[in-house]
Amino acid sequence: MCWADLLVLLPAAPYRLAAFPFAALFHHLCASGRLSLTAWYIFLLTGGCLFAGTAMGSYAMLLLIPAAGSMLVLLSVSTACAHTWVFALQMSWHTLCHLGLSSQELDPQDARPAIALSAIMLLMQKATSLALDIHEVVVRLQLGQGLLQCTLPLCSYLLFFPALLGGPLCSFSRFRAQARALPCLLRAAGQRCLCALALQGLRVGLAGGLAGRQGCAGLGCLPCVWARALLLKLAYYWHWVLDEALLEVAGFKPEAGQGDLSVHDLWTLETTHRLAVFTRTWNKSTSRWLGRLVFQRCPAQPLLATFAFSAWWHSLRPGQVFGFLCWAVMVEADYRIHPFLSAWATSQGVKLPYRGTTWVFTQLIVAYILVAVETESFSMLYLLWTSCNSILPLSYGFALLLLLLAKKLKQN
């Protein structure tokens, strides 16, 4: 398996790698004091536009239009309505792009549409986060300073090149604060690059070991799905570490605990026996964004609403709808099953098998969800649903129903 094969799931990876020298140049110019505040914003904005044109070609217009639209909305509507209008604009455009591109017969070798859609998803995070900050008066737009002084920071934030194709989400307040004190993060970025290289090497080795294994039957499908999900997780881990390394080379270090993947997070994801803990740790900046945008604002069934919106945001493919709704049910079951089981696991001799067994269950359920989310056709989704891999999610769902029924009977 060659490097080109490993980049199929991450079509924007070569462009991220190509952006590292420009991020280092930007950091050098800032550290040497050769960029004024206005030049600082212009450099990031110009780099983002050029980066979008190089990676997406003509599809870059699908990104630039909603960015310009969101900026105009923020400058023209009241702070009380900013979030509603920006959200409506971004989600409508986002949905139209997904539906429009999915209805066309695109060249499967052309990565530009996928890169554009990914960038649009990230733009929505930044635009809605900024609109919420304005709505909650965390950020104040200084409209009296002139049009250029007001619009340039907004445009630069929405399109700055180190975060154009990847996260984690950086707030506008932190982005603006970095313009005044850009730290030296090259050592941290180098460590992340080494970590990314190690993750990719591990993925190469695992993919090579599984290359000759085709098909499965009965319970033998469980390790096959787990191994496939592990390859997907390693791809995501590599993607997040590389994104954070690019941001750190440019001088944009996430706040402590605000990045998508640290060594501690990686350990937590692979060792936790609680699906709820895995869910909170997985892609943390997106989890916090979804929590702020949906979970904290939904009056009824916020957990289900959050996962349903996440499926919509990811494009509403069959596997994503099924996978995210299954994820919501599994997390709800996790919240109720573990307190019930931990009440029985009081002695050390019982705690160890309890944690070991639930860790295996968590790993298999996560594998089932990840494989489902990546499934694009109804036929493949049906094969997954009718396989032995569905036994554990169905068991969790059945246990959830029993616990809910028992709680209802107890209240009556």
Side-chain angles (χ1 to χ4, degrees):
M1 180 171 288
C2 63
W3 276 87
D5 297 326
L6 293 168
L7 297 177
V8 170
L9 288 176
L10 303 169
Y15 299 102
R16 290 189 183 94
L17 294 172
F20 271 84
F22 299 98
L25 173 62
F26 170 73
H27 185 277
H28 171 72
L29 293 174
C30 292
S32 60
R34 298 177 184 176
L35 290 180
S36 65
L37 182 60
T38 300
W40 192 87
Y41 287 128
I42 291 175
F43 190 108
L44 291 173
L45 175 59
T46 304
C49 293
L50 293 175
F51 197 25
T54 303
M56 306 170 206
S58 60
Y59 293 98
M61 292 303 299
L62 298 179
L63 176 69
L64 299 178
I65 289 173
S70 294
M71 186 193 64
L72 291 174
V73 168
L74 291 173
L75 295 175
S76 58
V77 304
S78 65
T79 57
C81 302
H83 166 61
T84 303
W85 281 96
V86 168
F87 176 82
L89 169 67
Q90 288 289 333
M91 205 65 215
S92 300
W93 183 264
H94 173 272
T95 304
L96 286 173
C97 288
H98 273 287
L99 293 175
L101 291 176
S102 63
S103 64
Q104 299 178 19
E105 293 185 4
L106 301 173
D107 182 3
Q109 301 299 321
D110 187 1
R112 293 176 302 168
I115 295 173
L117 289 175
S118 176
I120 291 169
M121 292 173 69
L122 294 167
L123 173 66
M124 182 178 178
Q125 284 191 334
K126 286 184 281 189
T128 53
S129 175
L130 174 58
L132 278 173
D133 285 341
I134 294 172
H135 176 74
E136 297 168 0
V137 202
V138 176
V139 170
R140 296 179 183 272
L141 296 180
Q142 300 173 341
L143 300 177
Q145 290 186 349
L147 186 62
L148 179 63
Q149 287 76 13
C150 187
T151 58
L152 187 58
L154 297 180
C155 289
S156 182
Y157 170 69
L158 293 176
L159 296 171
F160 74 111
F161 76 92
L164 188 74
L165 302 181
L169 176 63
C170 173
S171 69
F172 181 71
S173 299
R174 187 161 182 81
F175 170 79
R176 196 163 51 181
Q178 297 285 57
R180 298 173 177 83
L182 203 66
C184 181
L185 303 168
L186 295 181
R187 182 177 179 180
Q191 292 172 345
R192 288 196 179 275
C193 288
L194 290 175
C195 181
L197 186 62
L199 288 169
Q200 189 68 338
L202 182 60
R203 187 169 183 268
V204 170
L206 181 61
L210 297 174
R213 300 184 182 181
Q214 301 271 338
C216 62
L219 294 176
C221 287
L222 293 175
C224 289
V225 169
W226 176 82
R228 182 180 170 192
L230 182 57
L231 284 173
L232 292 171
K233 285 194 288 184
L234 288 172
Y236 281 117
Y237 296 158
W238 181 72
H239 163 84
W240 294 333
V241 171
L242 198 64
D243 285 343
E244 291 196 30
L246 178 59
L247 282 170
E248 289 181 342
V249 167
F252 295 94
K253 181 177 177 62
E255 295 180 78
Q258 301 296 304
D260 281 337
L261 191 69
S262 65
V263 174
H264 180 265
D265 295 332
L266 184 59
W267 175 260
T268 300
L269 288 168
E270 294 303 321
T271 60
T272 182
H273 69 293
R274 294 290 307 271
L275 183 62
V277 174
F278 178 94
T279 302
R280 288 193 297 270
T281 310
W282 179 263
N283 200 357
K284 286 196 301 184
S285 64
T286 297
S287 297
R288 286 190 296 271
W289 172 70
L290 288 170
R292 186 185 182 196
L293 188 71
V294 183
F295 189 87
Q296 297 173 9
R297 296 173 174 273
C298 187
Q301 298 295 329
L303 182 67
L304 182 61
T306 302
F307 278 96
F309 175 79
S310 185
W312 182 14
W313 180 62
H314 279 85
S315 81
L316 287 176
R317 291 201 305 265
Q320 291 170 341
V321 174
F322 174 79
F324 280 108
L325 293 182
C326 176
W327 201 338
V329 174
M330 294 300 101
V331 171
E332 184 66 31
D334 182 88
Y335 280 133
R336 297 179 183 274
I337 290 173
H338 280 277
F340 176 79
L341 292 178
S342 59
W344 293 89
T346 55
S347 66
Q348 194 65 32
V350 179
K351 283 183 179 179
L352 188 60
Y354 156 68
R355 286 180 174 271
T357 303
T358 51
W359 174 80
V360 172
F361 288 173
T362 298
Q363 287 288 311
L364 292 176
I365 289 175
V366 166
Y368 184 83
I369 291 169
L370 287 179
V371 172
V373 167
E374 294 295 330
T375 302
E376 298 190 4
S377 66
F378 281 107
S379 59
M380 295 300 295
L381 192 61
Y382 177 77
L383 290 176
L384 178 66
W385 168 250
T386 55
S387 70
C388 291
N389 295 283
S390 295
I391 293 175
L392 196 56
L394 286 173
S395 300
Y396 260 54
F398 183 65
L400 174 62
L401 289 175
L402 290 179
L403 290 172
L404 290 174
L405 181 60
K407 181 181 178 181
K408 187 176 181 179
L409 292 175
K410 187 177 181 179
Q411 290 175 345
N412 294 335

